[in-house]
Amino acid sequence: MRQLQVRIIDPRLGSTWPLPEYATAGSAGMDLRACIDQVLELQPGETALIPSGMALHLDDPQLAAVLLPRSGLGHKQGLVLGNLVGLIDSDYQGQVQISCWNRGGGVIRIEPGQRIAQLVVVPVVQVSLEVVEQFEPSDRAEGGIGHTGSH
């Protein structure tokens, strides 16, 4: 397992609340917590930028980190990310901020220390663009969205 350097910004992280970790051997993401001082009531349609309490530095251009909603909160309460997916580049060193959006119809209460998002580290392949006149034919070609059918 690779190591990822993190800097603790909120001293409650790692003492009052555990550091992010994988819940199981098969987990892809580590849960991030709301490092806030008091309950936040997120009204329907409202967004808030919530600190994670830590900064990270991937320090490898072949890696990026993505922030994703926790599926239970998104499905049951409507708490998703304001930017849908957060992207953290390998050279970023600042605090991870979680943009939360209440897309549901009721108020969502976010408690201090509550797990509100997950962090997934993914490989990155940087490419250069090659301008061509046409592509080699493929089975799909320019079929568009839904072209392959619904079944």
Side-chain angles (χ1 to χ4, degrees):
M1 183 178 295
R2 291 181 66 158
Q3 295 212 326
L4 173 62
Q5 290 186 351
V6 297
R7 193 168 44 86
I8 303 302
I9 295 170
D10 189 315
R12 297 172 294 183
L13 198 59
S15 60
T16 305
W17 308 312
L19 289 172
E21 61 185 354
Y22 297 103
T24 68
S27 295
M30 295 183 272
D31 289 337
L32 298 179
R33 296 182 182 273
C35 289
I36 53 179
D37 294 328
Q38 58 193 13
V39 172
L40 172 67
E41 290 192 345
L42 203 56
Q43 301 297 319
E46 190 175 42
T47 62
L49 196 58
I50 299 175
S52 71
M54 68 178 199
L56 59 82
H57 184 207
L58 293 162
D59 195 29
D60 181 344
Q62 294 183 333
L63 295 176
V66 291
L67 299 179
L68 301 169
R70 294 191 65 231
S71 42
L73 289 174
H75 178 71
K76 295 174 186 171
Q77 296 182 35
L79 183 65
V80 295
L81 299 186
N83 52 347
L84 303 183
V85 174
L87 176 64
I88 302 170
D89 296 310
S90 67
D91 52 357
Y92 179 71
Q93 295 184 8
Q95 179 169 205
V96 175
Q97 300 278 348
I98 305 160
S99 175
C100 290
W101 171 37
N102 179 352
R103 67 168 178 79
V107 175
I108 297 174
R109 288 177 51 91
I110 299 174
E111 306 278 340
Q114 180 179 345
R115 296 175 299 145
I116 58 170
Q118 51 188 327
L119 174 80
V120 178
V121 177
V122 296
V124 170
V125 177
Q126 291 183 333
V127 299
S128 61
L129 300 182
E130 176 188 1
V131 177
V132 297
E133 292 297 320
Q134 62 186 17
F135 300 118
E136 291 294 322
S138 69
D139 290 340
R140 184 175 187 151
E142 295 181 24
I145 296 172
H147 174 72
T148 59
S150 61
H151 297 283

